[in-house]
mmCIF file with all atom_site columns, all heavy atoms in Angstrom:
data_model
loop_
_atom_site.group_PDB
_atom_site.id
_atom_site.type_symbol
_atom_site.label_atom_id
_atom_site.label_alt_id
_atom_site.label_comp_id
_atom_site.label_asym_id
_atom_site.label_entity_id
_atom_site.label_seq_id
_atom_site.pdbx_PDB_ins_code
_atom_site.Cartn_x
_atom_site.Cartn_y
_atom_site.Cartn_z
_atom_site.occupancy
_atom_site.B_iso_or_equiv
_atom_site.pdbx_formal_charge
_atom_site.auth_seq_id
_atom_site.auth_comp_id
_atom_site.auth_asym_id
_atom_site.auth_atom_id
_atom_site.pdbx_PDB_model_num
ATOM 1   N N   . GLU A 1 22 ? 2.874  -13.554 -5.908  1.00 0.00 ? 508 GLU A N   1
ATOM 2   C CA  . GLU A 1 22 ? 3.944  -12.992 -6.675  1.00 0.00 ? 508 GLU A CA  1
ATOM 3   C C   . GLU A 1 22 ? 3.457  -11.638 -7.259  1.00 0.00 ? 508 GLU A C   1
ATOM 4   O O   . GLU A 1 22 ? 2.422  -11.589 -7.836  1.00 0.00 ? 508 GLU A O   1
ATOM 5   C CB  . GLU A 1 22 ? 4.261  -13.909 -7.835  1.00 0.00 ? 508 GLU A CB  1
ATOM 6   C CG  . GLU A 1 22 ? 5.299  -13.325 -8.768  1.00 0.00 ? 508 GLU A CG  1
ATOM 7   C CD  . GLU A 1 22 ? 5.430  -13.985 -10.035 1.00 0.00 ? 508 GLU A CD  1
ATOM 8   O OE1 . GLU A 1 22 ? 4.624  -14.945 -10.392 1.00 0.00 ? 508 GLU A OE1 1
ATOM 9   O OE2 . GLU A 1 22 ? 6.405  -13.698 -10.802 1.00 0.00 ? 508 GLU A OE2 1
ATOM 10  N N   . GLY A 1 29 ? 11.882 -10.371 -17.150 1.00 0.00 ? 515 GLY A N   1
ATOM 11  C CA  . GLY A 1 29 ? 12.337 -11.690 -17.646 1.00 0.00 ? 515 GLY A CA  1
ATOM 12  C C   . GLY A 1 29 ? 12.307 -12.651 -16.380 1.00 0.00 ? 515 GLY A C   1
ATOM 13  O O   . GLY A 1 29 ? 11.758 -13.824 -16.628 1.00 0.00 ? 515 GLY A O   1
ATOM 14  N N   . PRO A 1 30 ? 12.924 -12.304 -15.204 1.00 0.00 ? 516 PRO A N   1
ATOM 15  C CA  . PRO A 1 30 ? 12.927 -13.393 -14.231 1.00 0.00 ? 516 PRO A CA  1
ATOM 16  C C   . PRO A 1 30 ? 11.508 -13.764 -13.703 1.00 0.00 ? 516 PRO A C   1
ATOM 17  O O   . PRO A 1 30 ? 11.250 -14.891 -13.241 1.00 0.00 ? 516 PRO A O   1
ATOM 18  C CB  . PRO A 1 30 ? 13.740 -12.706 -13.107 1.00 0.00 ? 516 PRO A CB  1
ATOM 19  C CG  . PRO A 1 30 ? 14.503 -11.718 -13.856 1.00 0.00 ? 516 PRO A CG  1
ATOM 20  C CD  . PRO A 1 30 ? 13.716 -11.238 -15.011 1.00 0.00 ? 516 PRO A CD  1
ATOM 21  N N   . CYS A 1 31 ? 10.549 -12.908 -13.837 1.00 0.00 ? 517 CYS A N   1
ATOM 22  C CA  . CYS A 1 31 ? 9.097  -13.167 -13.476 1.00 0.00 ? 517 CYS A CA  1
ATOM 23  C C   . CYS A 1 31 ? 8.660  -14.401 -14.264 1.00 0.00 ? 517 CYS A C   1
ATOM 24  O O   . CYS A 1 31 ? 7.840  -15.120 -13.700 1.00 0.00 ? 517 CYS A O   1
ATOM 25  C CB  . CYS A 1 31 ? 8.257  -11.988 -13.709 1.00 0.00 ? 517 CYS A CB  1
ATOM 26  S SG  . CYS A 1 31 ? 8.610  -10.569 -12.658 1.00 0.00 ? 517 CYS A SG  1
ATOM 27  N N   . LYS A 1 32 ? 9.084  -14.509 -15.447 1.00 0.00 ? 518 LYS A N   1
ATOM 28  C CA  . LYS A 1 32 ? 8.630  -15.697 -16.271 1.00 0.00 ? 518 LYS A CA  1
ATOM 29  C C   . LYS A 1 32 ? 9.056  -16.993 -15.748 1.00 0.00 ? 518 LYS A C   1
ATOM 30  O O   . LYS A 1 32 ? 8.494  -18.026 -15.951 1.00 0.00 ? 518 LYS A O   1
ATOM 31  C CB  . LYS A 1 32 ? 8.996  -15.466 -17.744 1.00 0.00 ? 518 LYS A CB  1
ATOM 32  C CG  . LYS A 1 32 ? 8.330  -14.229 -18.437 1.00 0.00 ? 518 LYS A CG  1
ATOM 33  C CD  . LYS A 1 32 ? 8.823  -13.927 -19.769 1.00 0.00 ? 518 LYS A CD  1
ATOM 34  C CE  . LYS A 1 32 ? 8.179  -12.819 -20.541 1.00 0.00 ? 518 LYS A CE  1
ATOM 35  N NZ  . LYS A 1 32 ? 7.957  -11.588 -19.862 1.00 0.00 ? 518 LYS A NZ  1
ATOM 36  N N   . ALA A 1 33 ? 10.114 -16.981 -15.091 1.00 0.00 ? 519 ALA A N   1
ATOM 37  C CA  . ALA A 1 33 ? 10.663 -18.239 -14.339 1.00 0.00 ? 519 ALA A CA  1
ATOM 38  C C   . ALA A 1 33 ? 10.055 -18.397 -13.026 1.00 0.00 ? 519 ALA A C   1
ATOM 39  O O   . ALA A 1 33 ? 9.879  -19.645 -12.531 1.00 0.00 ? 519 ALA A O   1
ATOM 40  C CB  . ALA A 1 33 ? 12.177 -18.165 -14.186 1.00 0.00 ? 519 ALA A CB  1
ATOM 41  N N   . VAL A 1 34 ? 9.575  -17.398 -12.355 1.00 0.00 ? 520 VAL A N   1
ATOM 42  C CA  . VAL A 1 34 ? 8.908  -17.657 -11.036 1.00 0.00 ? 520 VAL A CA  1
ATOM 43  C C   . VAL A 1 34 ? 7.577  -18.241 -11.160 1.00 0.00 ? 520 VAL A C   1
ATOM 44  O O   . VAL A 1 34 ? 7.225  -19.129 -10.417 1.00 0.00 ? 520 VAL A O   1
ATOM 45  C CB  . VAL A 1 34 ? 8.688  -16.225 -10.364 1.00 0.00 ? 520 VAL A CB  1
ATOM 46  C CG1 . VAL A 1 34 ? 7.923  -16.374 -9.024  1.00 0.00 ? 520 VAL A CG1 1
ATOM 47  C CG2 . VAL A 1 34 ? 10.026 -15.619 -9.994  1.00 0.00 ? 520 VAL A CG2 1
ATOM 48  N N   . ALA A 1 35 ? 6.866  -17.874 -12.237 1.00 0.00 ? 521 ALA A N   1
ATOM 49  C CA  . ALA A 1 35 ? 5.394  -18.356 -12.455 1.00 0.00 ? 521 ALA A CA  1
ATOM 50  C C   . ALA A 1 35 ? 5.337  -19.948 -12.461 1.00 0.00 ? 521 ALA A C   1
ATOM 51  O O   . ALA A 1 35 ? 4.605  -20.457 -11.721 1.00 0.00 ? 521 ALA A O   1
ATOM 52  C CB  . ALA A 1 35 ? 4.866  -17.752 -13.624 1.00 0.00 ? 521 ALA A CB  1
ATOM 53  N N   . PRO A 1 36 ? 6.122  -20.595 -13.187 1.00 0.00 ? 522 PRO A N   1
ATOM 54  C CA  . PRO A 1 36 ? 6.026  -22.001 -13.149 1.00 0.00 ? 522 PRO A CA  1
ATOM 55  C C   . PRO A 1 36 ? 6.487  -22.733 -11.806 1.00 0.00 ? 522 PRO A C   1
ATOM 56  O O   . PRO A 1 36 ? 6.004  -23.681 -11.467 1.00 0.00 ? 522 PRO A O   1
ATOM 57  C CB  . PRO A 1 36 ? 6.876  -22.587 -14.341 1.00 0.00 ? 522 PRO A CB  1
ATOM 58  C CG  . PRO A 1 36 ? 7.679  -21.350 -14.808 1.00 0.00 ? 522 PRO A CG  1
ATOM 59  C CD  . PRO A 1 36 ? 6.996  -20.142 -14.230 1.00 0.00 ? 522 PRO A CD  1
ATOM 60  N N   . ALA A 1 37 ? 7.405  -22.066 -11.225 1.00 0.00 ? 523 ALA A N   1
ATOM 61  C CA  . ALA A 1 37 ? 7.907  -22.560 -9.834  1.00 0.00 ? 523 ALA A CA  1
ATOM 62  C C   . ALA A 1 37 ? 6.659  -22.522 -8.871  1.00 0.00 ? 523 ALA A C   1
ATOM 63  O O   . ALA A 1 37 ? 6.435  -23.493 -8.127  1.00 0.00 ? 523 ALA A O   1
ATOM 64  C CB  . ALA A 1 37 ? 9.015  -21.824 -9.354  1.00 0.00 ? 523 ALA A CB  1
ATOM 65  N N   . LEU A 1 38 ? 5.980  -21.308 -8.917  1.00 0.00 ? 524 LEU A N   1
ATOM 66  C CA  . LEU A 1 38 ? 4.815  -21.179 -7.967  1.00 0.00 ? 524 LEU A CA  1
ATOM 67  C C   . LEU A 1 38 ? 3.707  -22.059 -8.351  1.00 0.00 ? 524 LEU A C   1
ATOM 68  O O   . LEU A 1 38 ? 2.967  -22.630 -7.448  1.00 0.00 ? 524 LEU A O   1
ATOM 69  C CB  . LEU A 1 38 ? 4.480  -19.748 -7.737  1.00 0.00 ? 524 LEU A CB  1
ATOM 70  C CG  . LEU A 1 38 ? 5.563  -18.766 -7.226  1.00 0.00 ? 524 LEU A CG  1
ATOM 71  C CD1 . LEU A 1 38 ? 4.994  -17.366 -7.032  1.00 0.00 ? 524 LEU A CD1 1
ATOM 72  C CD2 . LEU A 1 38 ? 6.037  -19.355 -5.854  1.00 0.00 ? 524 LEU A CD2 1
ATOM 73  N N   . GLU A 1 39 ? 3.438  -22.258 -9.579  1.00 0.00 ? 525 GLU A N   1
ATOM 74  C CA  . GLU A 1 39 ? 2.376  -23.086 -10.047 1.00 0.00 ? 525 GLU A CA  1
ATOM 75  C C   . GLU A 1 39 ? 2.688  -24.567 -9.577  1.00 0.00 ? 525 GLU A C   1
ATOM 76  O O   . GLU A 1 39 ? 1.808  -25.200 -9.096  1.00 0.00 ? 525 GLU A O   1
ATOM 77  C CB  . GLU A 1 39 ? 2.343  -23.140 -11.574 1.00 0.00 ? 525 GLU A CB  1
ATOM 78  C CG  . GLU A 1 39 ? 1.179  -24.004 -12.095 1.00 0.00 ? 525 GLU A CG  1
ATOM 79  C CD  . GLU A 1 39 ? -0.240 -23.384 -11.809 1.00 0.00 ? 525 GLU A CD  1
ATOM 80  O OE1 . GLU A 1 39 ? -0.408 -22.287 -11.860 1.00 0.00 ? 525 GLU A OE1 1
ATOM 81  O OE2 . GLU A 1 39 ? -1.026 -24.263 -11.507 1.00 0.00 ? 525 GLU A OE2 1
ATOM 82  N N   . PRO A 1 71 ? 10.813 -9.699  -9.768  1.00 0.00 ? 557 PRO A N   1
ATOM 83  C CA  . PRO A 1 71 ? 9.835  -10.284 -9.095  1.00 0.00 ? 557 PRO A CA  1
ATOM 84  C C   . PRO A 1 71 ? 9.888  -10.149 -7.563  1.00 0.00 ? 557 PRO A C   1
ATOM 85  O O   . PRO A 1 71 ? 11.029 -10.143 -7.057  1.00 0.00 ? 557 PRO A O   1
ATOM 86  C CB  . PRO A 1 71 ? 9.852  -11.758 -9.455  1.00 0.00 ? 557 PRO A CB  1
ATOM 87  C CG  . PRO A 1 71 ? 11.349 -12.024 -9.673  1.00 0.00 ? 557 PRO A CG  1
ATOM 88  C CD  . PRO A 1 71 ? 11.777 -10.716 -10.284 1.00 0.00 ? 557 PRO A CD  1
ATOM 89  N N   . THR A 1 72 ? 8.766  -10.046 -6.861  1.00 0.00 ? 558 THR A N   1
ATOM 90  C CA  . THR A 1 72 ? 8.696  -9.928  -5.475  1.00 0.00 ? 558 THR A CA  1
ATOM 91  C C   . THR A 1 72 ? 7.606  -11.053 -5.002  1.00 0.00 ? 558 THR A C   1
ATOM 92  O O   . THR A 1 72 ? 6.520  -10.953 -5.579  1.00 0.00 ? 558 THR A O   1
ATOM 93  C CB  . THR A 1 72 ? 8.334  -8.698  -4.850  1.00 0.00 ? 558 THR A CB  1
ATOM 94  O OG1 . THR A 1 72 ? 9.419  -7.698  -5.091  1.00 0.00 ? 558 THR A OG1 1
ATOM 95  C CG2 . THR A 1 72 ? 8.237  -8.669  -3.310  1.00 0.00 ? 558 THR A CG2 1
ATOM 96  N N   . VAL A 1 73 ? 7.966  -11.900 -4.204  1.00 0.00 ? 559 VAL A N   1
ATOM 97  C CA  . VAL A 1 73 ? 7.029  -12.849 -3.565  1.00 0.00 ? 559 VAL A CA  1
ATOM 98  C C   . VAL A 1 73 ? 6.837  -12.564 -2.059  1.00 0.00 ? 559 VAL A C   1
ATOM 99  O O   . VAL A 1 73 ? 7.809  -12.470 -1.474  1.00 0.00 ? 559 VAL A O   1
ATOM 100 C CB  . VAL A 1 73 ? 7.441  -14.378 -3.872  1.00 0.00 ? 559 VAL A CB  1
ATOM 101 C CG1 . VAL A 1 73 ? 6.475  -15.318 -3.134  1.00 0.00 ? 559 VAL A CG1 1
ATOM 102 C CG2 . VAL A 1 73 ? 7.611  -14.619 -5.336  1.00 0.00 ? 559 VAL A CG2 1
ATOM 103 N N   . SER A 1 87 ? 13.528 -10.970 -5.965  1.00 0.00 ? 573 SER A N   1
ATOM 104 C CA  . SER A 1 87 ? 14.357 -11.526 -6.994  1.00 0.00 ? 573 SER A CA  1
ATOM 105 C C   . SER A 1 87 ? 13.955 -13.013 -7.250  1.00 0.00 ? 573 SER A C   1
ATOM 106 O O   . SER A 1 87 ? 12.985 -13.486 -6.777  1.00 0.00 ? 573 SER A O   1
ATOM 107 C CB  . SER A 1 87 ? 15.859 -11.490 -6.677  1.00 0.00 ? 573 SER A CB  1
ATOM 108 O OG  . SER A 1 87 ? 16.594 -11.821 -7.803  1.00 0.00 ? 573 SER A OG  1
ATOM 109 N N   . LEU A 1 88 ? 14.715 -13.696 -8.055  1.00 0.00 ? 574 LEU A N   1
ATOM 110 C CA  . LEU A 1 88 ? 14.407 -15.063 -8.548  1.00 0.00 ? 574 LEU A CA  1
ATOM 111 C C   . LEU A 1 88 ? 15.119 -16.105 -7.522  1.00 0.00 ? 574 LEU A C   1
ATOM 112 O O   . LEU A 1 88 ? 16.323 -15.931 -7.304  1.00 0.00 ? 574 LEU A O   1
ATOM 113 C CB  . LEU A 1 88 ? 14.844 -15.214 -9.985  1.00 0.00 ? 574 LEU A CB  1
ATOM 114 C CG  . LEU A 1 88 ? 14.776 -16.583 -10.647 1.00 0.00 ? 574 LEU A CG  1
ATOM 115 C CD1 . LEU A 1 88 ? 13.198 -17.042 -10.619 1.00 0.00 ? 574 LEU A CD1 1
ATOM 116 C CD2 . LEU A 1 88 ? 15.270 -16.610 -12.067 1.00 0.00 ? 574 LEU A CD2 1
ATOM 117 N N   . TYR A 1 89 ? 14.407 -17.122 -7.061  1.00 0.00 ? 575 TYR A N   1
ATOM 118 C CA  . TYR A 1 89 ? 14.880 -18.223 -6.265  1.00 0.00 ? 575 TYR A CA  1
ATOM 119 C C   . TYR A 1 89 ? 14.646 -19.478 -6.896  1.00 0.00 ? 575 TYR A C   1
ATOM 120 O O   . TYR A 1 89 ? 13.771 -19.699 -7.809  1.00 0.00 ? 575 TYR A O   1
ATOM 121 C CB  . TYR A 1 89 ? 14.273 -18.236 -4.961  1.00 0.00 ? 575 TYR A CB  1
ATOM 122 C CG  . TYR A 1 89 ? 14.760 -16.984 -4.127  1.00 0.00 ? 575 TYR A CG  1
ATOM 123 C CD1 . TYR A 1 89 ? 14.024 -15.738 -4.174  1.00 0.00 ? 575 TYR A CD1 1
ATOM 124 C CD2 . TYR A 1 89 ? 15.809 -17.052 -3.251  1.00 0.00 ? 575 TYR A CD2 1
ATOM 125 C CE1 . TYR A 1 89 ? 14.348 -14.662 -3.442  1.00 0.00 ? 575 TYR A CE1 1
ATOM 126 C CE2 . TYR A 1 89 ? 16.079 -15.907 -2.439  1.00 0.00 ? 575 TYR A CE2 1
ATOM 127 C CZ  . TYR A 1 89 ? 15.346 -14.751 -2.545  1.00 0.00 ? 575 TYR A CZ  1
ATOM 128 O OH  . TYR A 1 89 ? 15.728 -13.636 -1.830  1.00 0.00 ? 575 TYR A OH  1
ATOM 129 N N   . TYR A 1 94 ? 12.077 -21.496 -2.592  1.00 0.00 ? 580 TYR A N   1
ATOM 130 C CA  . TYR A 1 94 ? 10.635 -21.119 -2.377  1.00 0.00 ? 580 TYR A CA  1
ATOM 131 C C   . TYR A 1 94 ? 9.979  -21.962 -1.404  1.00 0.00 ? 580 TYR A C   1
ATOM 132 O O   . TYR A 1 94 ? 9.327  -21.631 -0.476  1.00 0.00 ? 580 TYR A O   1
ATOM 133 C CB  . TYR A 1 94 ? 9.948  -20.973 -3.623  1.00 0.00 ? 580 TYR A CB  1
ATOM 134 C CG  . TYR A 1 94 ? 10.250 -19.823 -4.528  1.00 0.00 ? 580 TYR A CG  1
ATOM 135 C CD1 . TYR A 1 94 ? 10.736 -19.997 -5.835  1.00 0.00 ? 580 TYR A CD1 1
ATOM 136 C CD2 . TYR A 1 94 ? 10.004 -18.510 -4.113  1.00 0.00 ? 580 TYR A CD2 1
ATOM 137 C CE1 . TYR A 1 94 ? 10.987 -18.824 -6.578  1.00 0.00 ? 580 TYR A CE1 1
ATOM 138 C CE2 . TYR A 1 94 ? 10.346 -17.377 -4.811  1.00 0.00 ? 580 TYR A CE2 1
ATOM 139 C CZ  . TYR A 1 94 ? 10.829 -17.536 -6.069  1.00 0.00 ? 580 TYR A CZ  1
ATOM 140 O OH  . TYR A 1 94 ? 11.075 -16.439 -6.951  1.00 0.00 ? 580 TYR A OH  1
#
Side-chain angles (χ1 to χ4, degrees):
E508 176 195 8
C517 296
K518 292 171 179 49
V520 173
L524 294 184
E525 183 67 40
T558 294
V559 174
S573 192
L574 178 61
Y575 292 86
Y580 285 119

